[in-house]
């Protein structure tokens, strides 16, 4: 079940584009990992690493990724982690507010 959900989340993330390049974050290789944690609910854990540690659009891409993943049937919650960015902690806190 979780592998199927991983693929569905990955497919949903193909609709999220880097605003500067106009190319999917999946196609660009910015999505480093997708895991499904199965507890009381299915939690999609997505790791995004921008190509530039100062990328000004990373928060937007992370929010869009969360929004698209939340639409996947079978996903109850989404956590997005940005790595390799100079403001990763602040972006992660903002994106994952409930």
């Amino acid at each position: 079940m979780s592998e199927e959900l991983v693929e569905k989340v990955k497919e949903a993330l193909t609709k999220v584009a880097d605003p500067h390049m106009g190319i999917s974050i999946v196609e660009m290789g910015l999505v480093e990992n997708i895991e499904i944690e199965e507890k009381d609910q299915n939690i999609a854990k997505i790791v995004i690493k921008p190509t530039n540690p100062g990328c000004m659009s990373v928060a937007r891409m992370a929010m869009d990724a969360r929004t698209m993943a939340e639409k996947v049937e079978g996903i109850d919650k989404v956590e997005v982690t940005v790595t390799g960015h100079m403001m990763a902690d602040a972006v992660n806190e903002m994106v994952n507010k409930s």
Side-chain angles (χ1 to χ4, degrees):
M1 173 75 164
S2 65
E3 279 306 311
E4 182 180 323
L5 282 176
V6 166
E7 285 305 311
K8 286 182 179 181
V9 169
K10 185 176 181 179
E11 184 177 323
L13 296 182
T14 63
K15 297 176 178 81
V16 178
D18 178 307
H20 301 290
M21 303 296 289
I23 299 171
S24 155
I25 62 172
V26 172
E27 191 176 331
M28 288 183 66
L30 304 184
V31 178
E32 284 203 324
N33 193 38
I34 302 170
E35 289 180 12
I36 306 299
E37 184 177 295
E38 298 172 346
K39 288 189 176 179
D40 297 337
Q41 53 187 342
N42 289 330
I43 304 170
K45 296 188 172 199
I46 302 164
V47 178
I48 296 174
K49 184 174 183 181
T51 56
N52 176 345
C55 175
M56 299 302 291
S57 301
V58 73
R60 176 179 170 187
M61 289 185 291
M63 287 297 290
D64 289 350
R66 178 181 173 183
T67 300
M68 293 309 293
E70 286 174 336
K71 294 179 181 181
V72 174
E73 187 175 336
I75 297 297
D76 302 306
K77 184 178 178 185
V78 177
E79 295 175 6
V80 178
T81 303
V82 172
T83 63
H85 189 272
M86 63 185 187
M87 294 186 64
D89 291 342
V91 171
N92 292 332
E93 184 178 334
M94 179 186 70
V95 170
N96 293 300
K97 282 185 179 177
S98 295

